[in-house]
Amino acid sequence: GTTGTTGGGTSGEAPASGGATFIDVPANHWAYASIERAVQLGYVTGVGGGRFEPSRQLTRAEFVTMLYRLAGKPASTAALSFSDVAAGAWYADAVRWAAENGYVNGTGEGTFSPNGKITRQEVVTILFRYSGGQSGQEVLLYSVYDGQLADSGSIAPWAKSAMYWAIYNGVITGTSETTVSPAATATRAEVAAIFVRYAK
């Protein structure tokens, strides 16, 4: 299950004599370089015991905490607007800041669903909002990507501009040559890789 250490805990473990930082992310793991870089940049931490849990689905609370770290943990004095986010929760400051700035809207009826698993289209939509949103070029990409992607029809209308922005800018990669799997959950390894690409 998700505990406080997954998103707010220790700052990761020291690498063993120049080797991998995490015992479950060996050097031949597809996201090894991205995870090592994301930890180095302070976006994500281990879960304790020398582990990262790269294949575990990322929660909404963990994702917003990563974004908050990317932004440099800015102060926020806004009231917590979600009934399911306790003031003392390890992710409360991150959620308060993200909601105040309009990066997250919650999941309806005054809830944030912090332990809900975040989807790929939610990830890119929040990053898109953080980047300033619509630039106009996304609309030009509709005809290109709508034709290229077999699953373009399954991208939620509210996420389409963000998804095409993310593909165009190399923030997200497809799950195959012709799919982006917008409604699929995102793993900790995938999001670490997305953040490192975004930071570039």
Side-chain angles (χ1 to χ4, degrees), residues 106-188:
T107 51
E109 298 181 5
T111 59
F112 179 72
S113 306
N115 295 321
K117 306 301 186 263
I118 199 159
T119 64
R120 288 165 57 82
Q121 63 188 0
E122 286 174 334
V123 164
V124 295
T125 298
I126 295 168
L127 275 176
F128 183 56
R129 291 178 188 146
Y130 175 73
S131 297
Q134 206 82 6
S135 69
Q137 76 183 78
E138 300 82 22
V139 179
L140 302 176
L141 300 171
Y142 275 43
S143 58
V144 176
Y145 292 131
D146 277 351
Q148 276 182 6
L149 298 171
D151 59 355
S152 62
S154 63
I155 301 170
W158 50 263
K160 192 163 262 197
S161 289
M163 185 62 77
Y164 291 172
W165 161 85
I167 296 167
Y168 180 78
N169 288 291
V171 173
I172 199 168
T173 57
T175 48
S176 78
E177 290 292 315
T178 58
T179 57
V180 287
S181 306
T185 53
T187 67
R188 285 170 53 82

Side-chain angles (χ1 to χ4, degrees), residues 43-94:
Y43 303 156
V44 70
T45 62
V47 297
R51 297 184 178 277
F52 184 75
E53 296 183 354
S55 301
R56 182 168 61 71
Q57 295 167 329
L58 194 77
T59 66
R60 290 169 52 80
E62 286 177 310
F63 177 79
V64 171
T65 300
M66 287 176 68
L67 186 69
Y68 183 55
R69 291 175 181 147
L70 172 77
K73 298 185 178 179
S76 171
T77 55
L80 272 169
S81 52
F82 302 114
S83 61
D84 57 354
V85 177
W90 56 263
Y91 49 82
D93 287 345

